[in-house]
């Protein structure tokens, strides 16, 4: 079927966008030329339908009733398996709803994508099924994954299993809540500013943001390619490492990945032997604006326990850590406007596998439902559009050019310490706000939690959040970051800490005293 042809009004609008001044004759001529050029678009459409359009599989799913979804954490439930035997045989996995599962609805927390049925499995989903996992459904995520809290999804708020009146953290909110509550064994999250680690910290589970490019992002809804990550979430470090072993490695379709991405057995690397390793307490990660002193003290006390197993623990300063958040803000603000909104998720100009069906659906519906976007989306893309147009994208370019200095600052510290440690989130889970996701008053609730997590998204360093203890009955997360593509050391240090704690508690089964670090 031929693609729609532009009217002279369409061409006039395009001319205005680019600053062209065309008279009526020129408009008519350029409209005719565009119509001729679009015959190639017709040809590509026909070739795609003949050779590349995927057949959507029939897979059963259901939208859970509220009584079956007390935390608001499920978008749809399912029971999908391949029958394969592997390292995840029989293990149930929740898939964050920005990651495609063929034949299953994908909403990405937003009215702008509601009604879309994925036609392809994301690479990570293919790998889970090949490893014997059972896909238990799609977990609710925040509106286009742009919130560190859990009240912006068009599906409604996600509640924390430790206290259902409180937030679960975002944007992988449903994944964290389902794992923490024991509803599923494992979950996938995605992290562009802390969206795996923040909900993991606030729900008291383990969440790992891998090195950028270690896990293929193919088939997940992007925000900005340079900060897109998919990561594993579980109740134990061992399960997190096992899941990463299944997910990691190049797929040849993701421009975020190098050809020489390492493929390791991260579970086998969990020796627990960390004697002689140097643990750096990142000074700038403590005492952040808005930090709770009790959280800082709890994480410091927890980190000091590494000395019990032969590690040296000392303070280290990386001044760029306090400034890196500004670079992150520019990159995600301009980047989200250009790629996620104006580029309908994928943008153009790079190799790799695109999802044209999703792009077309989102392009139509995001305009029809634009007023329903959360304030987090509106605030980001309005400023990002200004940055890209009036400012010409120059500040984005400056942030990208400064980024090597930030990365080098962390790398220099990691030449002297195997890992750096700090609080994942400077506080604990807050009470869910009363009001709608469009309420501007709640922007601080959505964005204030990423101050320690966001820098690793722009530098690409691996970072994991593990429970450090409880404060007033709520989990506190400790973040451990390491060298790029040395995820194995980060996981092994986290595993050694977990062994020191004799495991991490679940909601209603905690054994630690409020206000204390991980029990001795």
């Amino acid at each position: 079927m031929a693609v729609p042809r532009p009217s002279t009004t369409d061409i006039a609008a395009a001319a205005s966008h680019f600053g062209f001044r065309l008279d009526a004759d020129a408009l008519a001529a350029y409209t005719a030329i565009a119509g001729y050029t679009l015959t190639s678009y017709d040809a590509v459409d026909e070739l795609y339908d003949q050779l590349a359009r995927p057949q959507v599989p029939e897979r059963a799913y259901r939208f859970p009733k509220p009584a079956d979804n007390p935390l608001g954490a499920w978008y749809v439930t399912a029971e999908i398996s391949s029958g394969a035997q592997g390292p995840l045989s029989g293990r149930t996995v929740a898939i964050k709803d920005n990651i495609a599962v063929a034949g299953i609805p994908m909403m990405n927390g937003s009215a702008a994508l509601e009604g879309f049925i994925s036609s392809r499995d994301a690479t990570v989903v293919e790998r889970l099924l090949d490893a014997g996992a059972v896909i238990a459904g799609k977990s609710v995520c925040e509106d286009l994954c742009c919130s560190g809290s859990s009240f912006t999804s068009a599906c409604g708020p996600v509640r924390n299993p430790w206290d259902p009146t409180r937030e679960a953290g975002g944007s992988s909110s449903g994944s964290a809540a389902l794992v923490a509550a024991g509803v599923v064994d494992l979950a996938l999250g995605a992290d562009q500013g802390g969206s795996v680690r923040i909900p993991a910290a606030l729900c008291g589970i383990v969440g790992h943001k891998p090195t950028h490019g270690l896990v293929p992002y193919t088939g997940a809804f992007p925000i900005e390619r340079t900060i897109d990550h998919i990561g594993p979430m579980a109740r134990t470090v061992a399960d997190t490492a096992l899941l990463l072993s299944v997910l990691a490695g190049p797929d040849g379709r993701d421009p975020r990945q190098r050809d020489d991405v390492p493929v390791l057995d991260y579970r086998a690397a969990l020796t627990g032997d960390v004697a002689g390793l140097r643990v750096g307490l990142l000074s700038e990660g403590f005492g952040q604006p808005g930090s709770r002193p009790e959280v800082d003290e709890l994480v410091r006390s927890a980190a000091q326990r590494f000395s019990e197993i032969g590690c040296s623990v000392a303070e280290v300063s990386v001044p760029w850590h306090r400034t890196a958040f500004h670079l992150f803000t520019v990159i995600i603000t301009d980047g989200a406007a250009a790629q996620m909104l104006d580029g309908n998720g994928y943008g153009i100009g790079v190799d790799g596998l695109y999802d044209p069906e999703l792009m077309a659906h989102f392009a139509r519906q995001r305009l029809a439902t634009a007023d329903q976007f959360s304030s987090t989306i509106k605030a980001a893309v309005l400023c990002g559009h200004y940055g890209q147009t009036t400012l010409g994208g120059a500040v984005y370019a400056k942030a990208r050019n400064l980024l090597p200095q930030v990365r080098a600052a962390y790398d220099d510290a990691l030449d002297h310490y195997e890992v750096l440690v700090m609080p994942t989130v400077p506080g604990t889970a807050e009470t869910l706000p009363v009001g709608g996701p469009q309420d501007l008053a709640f922007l601080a609730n959505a964005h204030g939690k990423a101050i320690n997590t966001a820098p690793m998204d722009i530098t690409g360093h691996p970072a994991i959040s593990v429970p450090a203890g409880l404060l007033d009955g709520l989990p506190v997360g400790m973040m451990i970051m390491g060298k790029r593509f040395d995820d194995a050391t980060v996981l092994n240090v986290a595993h050694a800490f977990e062994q020191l704690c004799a495991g991490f508690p679940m909601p209603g089964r905690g054994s630690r005293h409020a206000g204390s670090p991980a029990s001795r």
Side-chain angles (χ1 to χ4, degrees):
M1 185 173 68
V3 301
R5 275 6 187 207
S7 66
T8 54
T9 302
D10 295 324
I11 297 301
S16 176
H17 174 78
F18 289 109
F20 303 154
R21 296 179 181 179
L22 304 178
D23 61 23
D25 289 343
L27 276 175
Y30 281 114
T31 301
I33 291 168
Y36 176 76
T37 304
L38 288 170
T39 59
S40 291
Y41 288 58
D42 295 337
V44 168
D45 246 14
E46 184 176 348
L47 288 167
Y48 180 79
D49 286 342
Q50 292 173 357
L51 303 174
R53 182 179 293 278
Q55 297 297 312
V56 181
E58 292 187 10
R59 284 172 166 169
Y61 62 87
R62 71 184 185 93
F63 293 98
K65 298 177 181 178
D68 300 325
N69 194 22
L71 298 174
W74 283 120
Y75 173 45
V76 295
T77 57
E79 189 174 345
I80 302 168
S81 62
S82 67
Q85 295 298 307
L88 298 180
S89 289
R91 306 295 294 278
T92 54
V93 185
I95 308 297
K96 183 178 181 179
D97 190 38
N98 73 322
I99 300 171
V101 179
I104 301 296
M106 178 179 179
M107 189 175 180
N108 199 15
S110 181
L113 205 60
E114 190 170 12
F116 178 71
I117 304 289
S118 302
S119 55
R120 303 167 178 83
D121 282 332
T123 298
V124 289
V125 172
E126 294 173 347
R127 291 178 177 179
L128 288 172
L129 293 173
D130 288 345
V134 177
I135 306 301
K138 305 291 291 295
S139 56
V140 169
C141 63
E142 299 309 298
D143 192 357
L144 299 187
C145 298
C146 289
S147 173
S149 190
S150 63
F151 60 86
T152 70
S153 175
C155 299
V158 178
R159 301 180 180 279
N160 194 312
W162 292 84
D163 179 350
T165 69
R166 294 181 182 267
E167 64 187 344
S171 65
S172 306
S173 43
S175 287
L178 291 167
V179 170
V183 178
V184 293
D185 300 318
L186 311 162
L188 296 187
D191 194 312
Q192 281 94 354
S195 289
V196 165
R197 293 160 289 159
I198 292 169
L202 299 186
C203 288
I205 65 168
V206 181
H208 181 64
K209 183 204 77 69
T211 301
H212 186 257
L214 179 61
V215 174
Y217 201 82
T218 310
F221 195 103
I223 291 180
E224 209 269 6
R225 288 182 186 87
T226 66
I227 58 174
D228 290 331
H229 302 72
I230 288 176
M233 306 174 77
R235 288 187 292 278
T236 68
V237 177
D239 277 351
T240 304
L242 176 63
L243 188 49
L244 182 62
S245 300
V246 169
L247 302 176
D251 75 348
R253 302 181 294 179
D254 183 2
R256 301 164 187 80
Q257 294 193 287
R258 306 180 335 202
D259 292 336
D260 61 345
V261 169
V263 178
L264 302 175
D265 185 341
Y266 293 98
R267 175 66 181 84
L270 299 183
T271 64
D273 181 7
V274 295
L277 267 62
R278 299 158 297 178
V279 175
L281 294 175
L282 186 64
S283 299
E284 289 78 10
F286 296 83
Q288 290 272 32
S291 290
R292 289 184 63 184
E294 307 96 317
V295 169
D296 283 349
E297 180 55 34
L298 193 155
V299 172
R300 283 187 184 278
S301 298
Q304 289 294 341
R305 297 203 59 199
F306 283 113
S307 62
E308 299 174 27
I309 49 178
C311 296
S312 62
V313 182
E315 291 274 336
V316 58
S317 176
V318 180
W320 261 114
H321 184 72
R322 287 288 176 91
T323 316
F325 188 80
H326 296 303
L327 273 69
F328 161 79
T329 298
V330 171
I331 289 169
I332 195 170
T333 301
D334 278 22
Q339 181 178 331
M340 185 174 69
L341 264 286
D342 283 340
N344 297 309
Y346 283 77
I348 60 174
V350 298
D351 208 350
L353 183 67
Y354 289 72
D355 190 334
E357 291 79 28
L358 182 151
M359 294 173 73
H361 183 101
F362 184 62
R364 291 189 303 268
Q365 193 153 308
R366 71 177 175 84
L367 295 177
T369 62
D371 287 339
Q372 297 179 49
F373 277 126
S374 66
S375 60
T376 58
I377 299 296
K378 292 173 183 173
V381 300
L382 288 172
C383 184
H385 181 74
Y386 178 83
Q388 286 290 292
T389 55
T390 304
L391 303 180
V395 183
Y396 178 93
K398 291 173 184 178
R400 299 297 313 176
N401 288 350
L402 286 167
L403 184 53
Q405 296 185 41
V406 182
R407 188 176 288 124
Y410 289 114
D411 287 343
D412 182 63
L414 289 164
D415 284 340
H416 298 87
Y417 297 88
E418 276 71 31
V419 295
L420 306 179
V421 172
M422 69 202 86
T424 310
V425 178
T428 55
E430 298 177 88
T431 302
L432 282 164
V434 177
Q438 291 82 29
D439 195 326
L440 281 166
F442 302 143
L443 276 176
N445 303 61
H447 291 320
K449 298 173 178 64
I451 198 160
N452 276 343
T453 56
M456 283 100 250
D457 287 282
I458 59 172
T459 66
H461 289 87
I464 193 169
S465 180
V466 295
L470 299 179
L471 183 62
D472 300 327
L474 295 171
V476 170
M478 177 171 70
M479 186 164 64
I480 304 167
M481 69 172 290
K483 298 179 178 71
R484 284 170 291 157
F485 293 105
D486 191 16
D487 296 66
T489 295
V490 172
L491 287 158
N492 194 38
V493 171
H495 178 62
F497 179 74
E498 183 179 35
Q499 290 181 310
L500 271 174
C501 302
F504 302 135
M506 291 178 64
R509 306 176 202 177
S511 60
R512 304 175 199 163
H513 297 291
S516 67
S519 59
R520 297 179 183 270

